[in-house]
Amino acid sequence: EAAAMRLHLCAVGRLRSGPERALVDDYLQRCDRTGRPLGLGPVTEHEVEDKRGAGMAAEAGLLLRAAPAGAVLVDELGTTLSSPELATRLAAWRDGGQQDVALMIGGADGLDPMLRAKADLAISFGRMVWPHMLVRVMLAEQLYRAVTILSGSPYHRA
């Protein structure tokens, strides 16, 4: 029995109370409930703020410090994956003994190229630009969807 793989959602910016916060909390709680029996989770959120406004490079440093080694990067310049492909990738990392996966969301200007170069994977939510707070909601939902796919739950209907 492999140890659980911890998931870290590392994001620039504080998500204050409101509809996005409620959605992220709901999806991450559901993800924990469904994922833990599968050895996926818990999901920990790490919020970083570049208080000095020093830009992308400063944000990259904060994100890297917030995350354990083994980063998976979420970036608009990445690969478009289907939900089942994301589920398969998470399961493969878990089965390969990966202990931590960090999913990173940059600020308004995106992610620093240095951070992108360190990533094992860059995921795109398509070519449209999304507000980074909505990207966090979508990523939380996709993590939940991935564990439901792996658990055989009817939530995901392709």
Side-chain angles (χ1 to χ4, degrees):
E1 178 61 24
M5 183 174 78
R6 295 175 297 264
L7 303 171
H8 303 268
L9 205 166
C10 305
V12 173
R14 305 256 176 239
L15 194 45
R16 315 235 179 258
S17 61
E20 294 96 345
R21 174 80 273 160
L23 283 165
V24 169
D25 290 345
D26 182 47
Y27 285 127
L28 293 184
Q29 282 166 1
R30 291 196 214 183
C31 185
D32 277 348
R33 258 200 317 273
T34 309
R36 282 195 201 221
L38 305 171
L40 289 168
V43 184
T44 310
E45 222 177 335
H46 307 272
E47 295 183 312
V48 302
E49 263 183 314
D50 171 28
K51 291 194 167 64
R52 295 190 310 282
M56 275 196 303
E59 290 174 355
L62 292 168
L63 285 169
L64 276 178
R65 280 201 293 283
V72 176
L73 193 64
V74 178
D75 184 64
E76 65 275 12
L77 298 179
T79 310
T80 310
L81 294 182
S82 69
S83 298
E85 284 168 344
L86 177 60
T88 299
R89 191 66 68 101
L90 288 170
W93 281 321
R94 174 201 63 196
D95 297 346
Q98 182 81 21
Q99 291 182 314
D100 292 279
V101 169
L103 300 115
M104 297 187 181
I105 303 171
D109 297 320
L111 283 160
D112 190 86
M114 172 277 289
L115 199 54
R116 202 174 295 134
K118 286 181 180 294
D120 298 309
L121 173 67
I123 302 168
S124 166
F125 287 130
R127 289 170 51 208
M128 291 179 176
V129 174
W130 298 97
H132 61 279
M133 296 307 180
L134 268 187
V135 170
R136 201 182 314 184
V137 173
M138 294 194 296
L139 181 57
E141 192 279 337
Q142 285 300 304
L143 289 174
Y144 172 57
R145 185 174 294 272
V147 297
T148 64
I149 289 168
L150 295 171
S151 74
S153 146
Y155 176 80
H156 175 73
R157 293 175 189 83

